[in-house]
């Protein structure tokens, strides 16, 4: 039996202890429409508290992802956006931004506005980067629903891709700062982050296990044009599947999600099916063939327009659901 076959078999056994359903996330920040589901614009919105500015200038992004977010670079600007979105029927927001030279998104000045968003009935998620105890405490006081943060398990990757003078243990400390403050966390792991190679992912998964996350989100390097990784080949699907399956085995009780970022086309279809085999609880923006495959594997399927880190939690609920 190959290593992948063994991991798939063990991971599916873990999956058997979960609810026999899978949730597909299609938040309105990106248009999604097929014969199964069509989402609504602005149902779940991404905002950046730094606009397009980022001190790290990471090799795989260079601020390109920030260009897809609504800018709100002052607390007052964020408040206006929050009130406008709530009035339009928005269900939730993901607040992020570019990191500073220490690797932390400057969220602390916005804590009061995040609390206002919760008062308006919005689900509030933040993508924080590294996070200090003081910021974690303020986010807890604001009532933030969930903290998302990327976790890197290799020091060379932190330096060469994120351009930070940090070490892997700083990411564990950031997760523990959140847990000590009483925050729910949904760590993100970018598979293949080191120029398309698997390097440090297993160490990152072990650190995540130690932090007892509310959910775990795995994404795959998808090099953007105009970045230092433009043209970089993504990691082989078999290697990615081994990482996903290991994530399932190391976190048997936490909802596991295949998140938004992954290469398109045949690669996307292949890795989504393998993710189903690995026992993920949720997948963001799935291909139609993935929905059908999950059904063939005996899983009830449903859609949500919440962020994919929340979709895994919906999968853990006992209610049965079906795709449209």
């Amino acid at each position: 039996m190959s290593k992948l076959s063994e991991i798939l078999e063990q991971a599916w056994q873990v999956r058997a202890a979960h609810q026999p359903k899978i949730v597909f996330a299609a938040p309105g920040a990106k248009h999604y429409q097929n014969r199964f589901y069509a989402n609504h614009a602005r149902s779940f919105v991404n905002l950046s508290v730094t606009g397009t500015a980022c001190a790290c200038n990471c090799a795989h992004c260079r601020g390109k992802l920030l260009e897809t977010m609504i800018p709100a670079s002052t607390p007052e600007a964020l408040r206006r956006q929050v009130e406008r979105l709530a009035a339009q029927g928005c269900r939730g927001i993901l607040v992020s931004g570019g990191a500073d030279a220490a690797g932390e998104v400057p969220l602390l000045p916005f804590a009061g506005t995040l609390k206002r968003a919760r008062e308006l009935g919005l689900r509030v998620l933040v993508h924080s980067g590294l996070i200090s105890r003081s910021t974690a405490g303020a986010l807890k006081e604001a009532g933030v629903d969930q903290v998302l943060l990327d976790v890197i398990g290799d020091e060379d990757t932190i330096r060469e891709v994120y351009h930070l003078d940090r070490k892997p243990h700083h990411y564990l400390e950031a997760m523990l700062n959140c847990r000590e403050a009483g925050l729910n966390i949904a760590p993100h792991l970018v598979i293949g982050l080191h120029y398309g190679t698997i390097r440090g992912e297993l160490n990152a998964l072990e650190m995540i296990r130690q932090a007892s996350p509310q959910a775990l989100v795995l994404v795959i390097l998808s090099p953007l044009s105009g970045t230092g990784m433009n043209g970089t080949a993504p990691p082989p699907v078999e290697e990615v599947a081994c990482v996903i399956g290991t994530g399932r085995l190391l976190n048997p009780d936490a909802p596991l999600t295949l998140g938004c970022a992954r290469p398109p086309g045949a690669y996307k279809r292949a890795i989504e099916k393998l993710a189903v085999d690995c026992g993920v609880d949720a997948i963001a923006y799935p291909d139609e063939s993935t929905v059908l495959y999950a059904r063939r594997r005996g899983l009830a399927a449903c859609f949500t327009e919440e962020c994919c880190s929340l979709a895994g939690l919906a999968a853990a609920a006992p209610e049965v659901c079906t795709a449209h």
Side-chain angles (χ1 to χ4, degrees):
M1 179 181 291
S2 69
K3 178 182 177 182
L4 176 57
S5 296
E6 183 177 354
I7 289 175
L8 290 176
E9 181 177 337
Q10 295 174 357
W12 190 257
Q13 290 175 0
V14 171
R15 210 263 184 256
H18 291 221
Q19 294 292 331
K21 69 176 180 178
I22 188 167
V23 174
F24 297 117
K30 175 182 176 182
H31 178 67
Y32 179 86
Q33 184 174 0
N34 58 31
R35 58 175 161 155
F36 293 117
Y37 194 79
N39 66 359
H40 302 82
R42 305 299 193 196
S43 60
F44 209 102
V45 174
N46 301 336
L47 301 107
S48 170
V49 298
T50 66
T52 59
C54 179
C56 291
N57 195 31
C58 300
H60 68 306
C61 174
R62 290 189 177 171
K64 296 289 185 181
L65 293 176
L66 298 175
E67 296 174 3
T68 67
M69 301 180 183
I70 298 174
S73 54
T74 66
E76 181 55 34
L78 182 61
R79 180 181 295 271
R80 289 195 299 269
Q81 291 289 357
V82 161
E83 292 177 347
R84 178 182 64 84
L85 290 167
Q88 292 175 347
C90 179
R91 303 175 190 177
I93 56 174
L94 170 62
V95 180
S96 187
D100 59 23
E104 182 171 352
V105 176
L107 292 166
L108 188 58
F110 298 86
T113 309
L114 298 178
K115 185 175 183 178
R116 172 60 177 161
R118 290 289 290 115
E119 292 170 350
L120 291 171
L122 296 174
R123 300 291 294 272
V124 177
L125 279 60
V126 299
H127 203 143
S128 65
L130 291 170
I131 188 167
S132 65
R133 287 182 175 176
S134 58
T135 298
L139 295 179
K140 176 62 177 178
E141 175 64 24
V144 165
D145 291 284
Q146 198 177 65
V147 175
L148 287 53
L149 64 168
D150 296 339
V151 179
I152 308 174
D154 178 73
E155 185 175 347
D156 290 340
T157 305
I158 298 170
R159 182 177 61 255
E160 296 173 23
V161 177
Y162 271 45
H163 305 143
L164 291 174
D165 184 21
R166 293 286 193 156
K167 300 183 185 299
H169 72 82
H170 290 117
Y171 292 86
L172 176 58
E173 290 174 3
M175 290 187 287
L176 295 179
N177 286 341
C178 292
R179 300 297 288 136
E180 290 170 4
L183 288 164
N184 293 318
I185 61 171
H188 282 48
L189 173 61
V190 182
I191 304 172
L193 180 61
H194 197 97
Y195 293 88
T197 62
I198 304 299
R199 182 171 177 173
E201 280 83 347
L202 298 185
N203 184 40
L205 286 173
E206 174 57 31
M207 291 192 296
I208 290 168
R209 183 195 65 79
Q210 294 177 46
S212 300
Q214 185 189 35
L216 169 59
V217 179
L218 304 178
V219 298
I220 305 166
L221 179 71
S222 302
L224 302 173
S225 61
T227 70
M229 291 194 192
N230 184 28
T232 299
V237 292
E238 294 81 5
E239 294 183 14
V240 172
C242 285
V243 175
I244 297 173
T246 301
R248 174 78 291 162
L249 297 176
L250 289 178
N251 299 273
D253 299 321
L256 179 64
T257 294
L258 180 64
C260 304
R262 54 189 173 277
Y267 189 106
K268 167 185 166 69
R269 292 188 291 274
I271 202 61
E272 287 179 4
K273 290 182 175 63
L274 282 169
V276 172
D277 294 336
C278 286
V280 299
D281 300 284
I283 296 177
Y285 302 113
D287 188 81
E288 284 189 9
S289 64
T290 305
V291 179
L292 295 172
Y293 183 72
R295 286 175 167 177
R296 288 198 297 270
R297 293 232 57 179
L299 302 175
C302 64
F303 281 82
T304 178
E305 295 189 28
E306 291 190 313
C307 184
C308 67
S309 63
L310 296 173
L313 301 179
E319 292 82 5
V320 175
C321 58
T322 56
H324 294 269

